[in-house]
């Protein structure tokens, strides 16, 4: 600590528990609040620090809104500490929609939803349909488009496919050719239900096309970096209390429909060794975070050891401009 250009002891600390539960998990989505309260008590009692604790951050929109409020109040901090789920590309929140667009080209409508779970990785959902093909479906899309913003991709696909099945009849000649009783009788009993399901997909002319993709979004990443700079003092520290922000980035083969990791991209002079390296270079601040897996209890322990000058393993600390 004595070798780092940091405000010692910290006078003002911002704690950011990101409330996002894992899918198919019984874990309380508010689990980051407990380690945040422990750190709040530590900073107050150890250093007589003024501590600000953000509340109800369920999406990055929530985070940016509260940062804007802090700016309006003239607040600045010596530490910004995130406590959350995480990965090689930083803290993870629910994949929430932040923008919807609609484009028309004649009778063809293309509806786009942009969402993000990690700043800089933009998830795109595209739904395209012809307004003249089925008026019922067109009216349905017009009245339900905003409702789809709260749904995951698979749920949207299921809902639209289910509605399509209600209003779009099967092509009878196609169905008889491939799915007649005589055709199904030629199939083993255990395959008939699946074959009939395939036939309904093939012999029902689709009313829409839906796609999803992930793209690098430099503007979204630098918006996040700018938010850190806006409320962090020049000699302040950014700490990511999550899994893997300090881990060396894996070299992955980019699959179709996926994108490369932020840390393997050219953002802020990359590729970078870790997410901590990326954020440090992009923000110009000392940045730190665990190497490997890290629980809420680990985060508390690591920060306490760091602030009291005790050595520890598996903590990555990056000073901007120093490789």
């Amino acid at each position: 600590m004595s070798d780092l250009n940091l405000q010692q002891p910290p006078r003002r600390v911002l704690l950011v528990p990101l409330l996002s539960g894992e899918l198919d998990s019984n874990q309380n989505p508010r689990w980051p609040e407990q380690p945040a309260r422990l750190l709040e008590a530590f900073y107050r009692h150890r250093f007589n620090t003024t501590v600000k604790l953000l509340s109800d951050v369920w999406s990055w929109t929530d985070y940016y809104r509260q940062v804007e409020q802090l700016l309006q109040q003239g607040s600045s901090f010596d530490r910004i500490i995130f406590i959350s789920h995480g990965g090689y590309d930083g803290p993870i929140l629910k994949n929430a929609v932040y923008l919807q667009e609609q484009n028309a080209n004649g009778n063809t409508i293309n509806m786009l939803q942009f969402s993000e779970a990690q700043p800089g990785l933009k998830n795109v959902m595209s739904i395209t349909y012809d307004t003249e093909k089925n008026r019922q479906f067109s009216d349905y899309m017009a009245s339900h488009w905003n409702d789809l913003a709260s749904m995951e991709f698979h749920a949207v696909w299921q809902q639209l496919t289910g509605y399509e099945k209600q209003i779009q009849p099967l092509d009878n000649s196609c169905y008889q050719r491939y799915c007649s009783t005589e055709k199904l009788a030629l199939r083993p009993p255990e395959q008939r239900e699946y074959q009939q399901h395939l036939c309904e997909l093939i012999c029902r002319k689709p009313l829409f096309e839906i796609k999803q993709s992930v793209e690098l979004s430099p503007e979204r990443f630098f918006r996040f970096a700018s938010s850190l700079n806006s409320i962090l003092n020049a000699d302040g520290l950014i700490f990511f209390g999550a899994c893997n922000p300090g881990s060396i980035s894996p070299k992955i083969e980019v699959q179709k429909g996926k994108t490369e990791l932020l840390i393997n991209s050219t953002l802020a002079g990359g590729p970078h060794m870790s997410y901590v390296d990326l954020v440090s270079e992009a923000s110009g601040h000392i940045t730190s975070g665990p190497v490997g897996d890290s629980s809420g209890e680990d985060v508390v322990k690591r920060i306490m050891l760091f602030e009291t000058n005790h050595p520890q393993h598996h903590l990555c600390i990056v000073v901007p401009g120093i490789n």
Side-chain angles (χ1 to χ4, degrees):
M1 278 282 283
S2 59
D3 294 332
L4 299 176
N5 183 25
L6 294 175
Q7 169 65 39
Q8 297 179 10
R11 296 165 300 186
R12 293 179 57 83
V13 170
L14 178 64
L15 298 172
V16 188
L18 302 179
L19 310 181
S20 180
E22 293 180 327
L23 293 176
D24 303 320
S25 171
N26 293 324
Q27 186 179 56
N28 187 336
R30 288 189 173 272
W31 70 264
E33 291 179 335
Q34 176 60 18
R37 284 191 288 267
L38 293 173
L39 287 173
E40 179 181 22
F42 165 74
Y43 277 110
R44 289 187 190 279
H45 297 152
R46 179 83 186 198
F47 303 114
N48 196 29
T49 302
T50 300
V51 182
K52 172 67 177 177
L53 183 66
L54 295 192
S55 61
D56 290 326
V57 180
W58 296 97
S59 68
W60 290 109
T61 299
D62 294 335
Y63 164 77
Y64 291 126
R65 182 175 61 251
Q66 294 193 46
V67 167
E68 182 61 31
Q69 292 171 352
L70 292 173
L71 284 173
Q72 292 174 2
Q73 298 164 9
S75 300
S76 60
F77 300 91
D78 303 309
R79 305 281 190 274
I80 299 178
I81 299 171
F82 292 87
I83 306 171
S84 66
H85 290 295
Y88 290 103
D89 276 337
I92 298 173
L93 272 172
K94 178 185 177 183
N95 182 37
V97 172
Y98 63 85
L99 179 64
Q100 291 180 297
E101 290 181 358
Q102 179 173 308
N103 303 309
N105 183 9
N107 296 331
T108 302
I109 300 293
N110 180 224
M111 292 181 161
L112 296 168
Q113 283 188 349
F114 302 97
S115 59
E116 64 183 348
Q118 295 170 286
L121 291 175
K122 177 171 62 178
N123 298 285
V124 183
M125 181 174 70
S126 168
I127 303 174
T128 305
Y129 63 96
D130 187 332
T131 57
E132 297 302 312
K133 186 175 286 188
N134 188 297
R135 179 55 61 182
Q136 264 187 284
F137 186 81
S138 299
D139 292 343
Y140 182 86
M141 288 300 299
S143 60
H144 287 76
W145 175 233
N146 290 331
D147 298 336
L148 301 181
S150 62
M151 300 168 61
E152 296 291 335
F153 175 85
H154 185 65
V156 172
W157 181 85
Q158 282 189 318
Q159 180 162 319
L160 296 185
T161 302
Y163 187 66
E164 179 185 64
K165 190 174 181 178
Q166 294 176 35
I167 64 173
Q168 180 75 335
L170 291 168
D171 183 297
N172 191 56
S173 60
C174 171
Y175 194 79
Q176 290 302 318
R177 187 179 308 120
Y178 298 107
C179 314
S180 65
T181 304
E182 294 77 13
K183 293 285 186 180
L184 289 177
L186 299 176
R187 294 277 182 174
E190 65 273 12
Q191 294 182 9
R192 291 173 189 169
E193 183 177 351
Y194 179 68
Q195 178 65 23
Q196 191 166 11
H197 173 68
L198 284 180
C199 286
E200 289 191 0
L201 291 177
I202 294 169
C203 296
R204 179 176 282 109
K205 294 180 180 179
L207 297 178
F208 67 97
E209 181 181 39
I210 184 169
K211 298 178 181 178
Q212 68 172 341
S213 61
V214 184
E215 303 171 4
L216 288 178
S217 178
E219 68 274 13
R220 298 297 295 182
F221 172 75
F222 285 111
R223 181 187 182 186
F224 179 59
S226 177
S227 76
L228 300 173
N229 287 340
S230 67
I231 54 175
L232 189 64
N233 293 325
D235 55 355
L237 168 79
I238 305 164
F239 190 101
F240 292 105
C243 295
N244 290 314
S247 299
I248 295 176
S249 62
K251 303 303 177 184
I252 61 171
E253 183 177 341
V254 180
Q255 299 175 351
K256 186 178 180 180
K258 302 292 183 180
T259 189
E260 62 183 326
L261 293 170
L262 288 173
I263 47 182
N264 288 338
S265 73
T266 58
L267 283 174
H272 297 278
M273 287 187 64
S274 71
Y275 186 75
V276 165
D277 288 86
L278 168 61
V279 174
S280 179
E281 195 63 31
S283 67
H285 284 93
I286 298 173
T287 307
S288 185
V291 177
D293 293 343
S294 187
S295 66
E297 292 79 5
D298 293 333
V299 171
V300 173
K301 182 179 179 181
R302 292 189 187 286
I303 292 175
M304 288 182 175
L305 289 174
F306 177 83
E307 295 285 18
T308 54
N309 266 325
H310 286 82
Q312 59 180 298
H313 296 290
H314 307 301
L315 181 68
C316 178
I317 304 170
V318 176
V319 177
I322 300 178
N323 293 325

